[in-house]
Amino acid sequence: MILALTHRSFAGRNNERLEFLGDAILNFVAGEALFDRFPLAREGQLSRLRARLVKGETLAVLARGFELGEYLRLGSGELKSGGFRRESILADALEALIGAIYLDAGMETARDRVLAWLAGEFETLTLVDTNKDPKTRLQEYLQSRACELPRYEVVDIQGEPHCRTFFVECEIALLNEKSRGQGVSRRIAEQVAAAAALIALGVENGHD
């Protein structure tokens, strides 16, 4: 695991090979899960959904949720320039971690870990519009009806710093009850809550 957290700026023996392996595993696991979850989806739709799941921004958000940057081994230059906060470095380290889990514990454990990390993201996916996230779709839906924009509130944070779960409520005027979401970051929890609101409004069913 130490090697997975070692950036090339720190040592010649670093996490780049593990990153390569983890990237392949991540893409396979995400693709397999999408294939099962959306049986009527076309290849292009599945490809766009997978791209959303495995993009650097998504991985960096997950890594920040684990405070992975605090454990990275970086060279002095990267430390001074704030490399432990950089999206690309965090995303690469998370992929390397997946590769290390695969080598240490096997494919089933790696698959279970990836699916657990991406669970919140999966809940926000829909075939209605694979290019816009649930918060954007909800906002545009409300704006088209001249309604107030949604209000998001973090109501609870549970777990240790390296493994937190955020609980968010989304309040909109068109619904009597607040929708709820949870995830390893506030952003993911808000997206899940927005997706739940769209379902409650009857705009989406989550598995079109």
Side-chain angles (χ1 to χ4, degrees):
M1 288 296 178
I2 292 178
L3 186 60
L5 300 173
T6 303
H7 188 255
R8 64 176 177 269
S9 64
F10 184 87
R13 189 166 182 265
N14 53 61
N15 65 5
E16 288 184 333
R17 283 173 55 83
L18 285 174
E19 175 201 335
F20 168 81
L21 182 61
D23 176 69
I25 294 168
L26 174 63
N27 275 275
F28 170 73
V29 171
E32 180 185 49
L34 289 169
F35 183 85
D36 291 338
R37 189 179 182 90
F38 297 99
L40 301 180
R42 298 183 300 276
E43 178 190 1
Q45 291 175 306
L46 291 174
S47 294
R48 287 192 293 272
L49 289 174
R50 183 176 62 181
R52 273 187 54 191
L53 285 173
V54 305
K55 66 182 180 180
E57 179 187 354
T58 300
L59 301 182
V61 167
L62 291 172
R64 290 189 185 101
F66 309 148
E67 296 187 355
L68 195 60
E70 301 297 318
Y71 303 95
L72 293 179
R73 303 168 82 199
L74 301 170
S76 58
E78 286 292 352
L79 282 173
K80 290 177 182 177
S81 64
F84 59 91
R85 292 190 296 266
R86 189 168 300 134
E87 181 177 289
S88 60
I89 290 179
L90 289 171
D92 290 349
L94 189 65
E95 288 180 338
L97 199 57
I98 293 169
I101 292 170
Y102 166 76
L103 292 178
D104 286 349
M107 187 62 190
E108 288 306 311
T109 300
R111 177 188 281 109
D112 289 346
R113 187 49 25 214
V114 168
L115 292 177
W117 288 344
L118 293 177
E121 291 288 341
F122 270 110
E123 291 305 314
T124 71
L125 296 180
T126 174
L127 297 180
V128 173
D129 187 340
T130 56
N131 294 314
K132 295 179 181 178
D133 60 59
K135 285 182 67 175
T136 301
R137 296 198 301 272
L138 178 60
Q139 179 173 317
E140 290 180 351
Y141 175 83
L142 295 174
Q143 287 177 327
S144 70
R145 285 155 180 78
C147 296
E148 291 183 18
L149 295 181
R151 292 183 292 276
Y152 298 93
E153 180 184 3
V154 177
V155 294
D156 195 15
I157 302 175
Q158 298 180 8
E160 299 298 321
H162 66 282
C163 191
R164 286 177 175 161
T165 300
F166 291 76
F167 295 83
V168 165
E169 289 184 343
C170 171
E171 181 181 4
I172 59 176
L174 294 180
L175 293 175
N176 294 326
E177 294 187 2
K178 299 175 182 178
S179 60
R180 295 175 176 81
Q182 67 183 74
V184 297
S185 71
R186 175 174 182 164
R187 185 186 75 87
I188 291 175
E190 288 179 350
Q191 297 286 12
V192 175
L198 287 166
I199 293 171
L201 289 167
V203 180
E204 301 175 7
N205 62 28
H207 297 280
D208 288 348

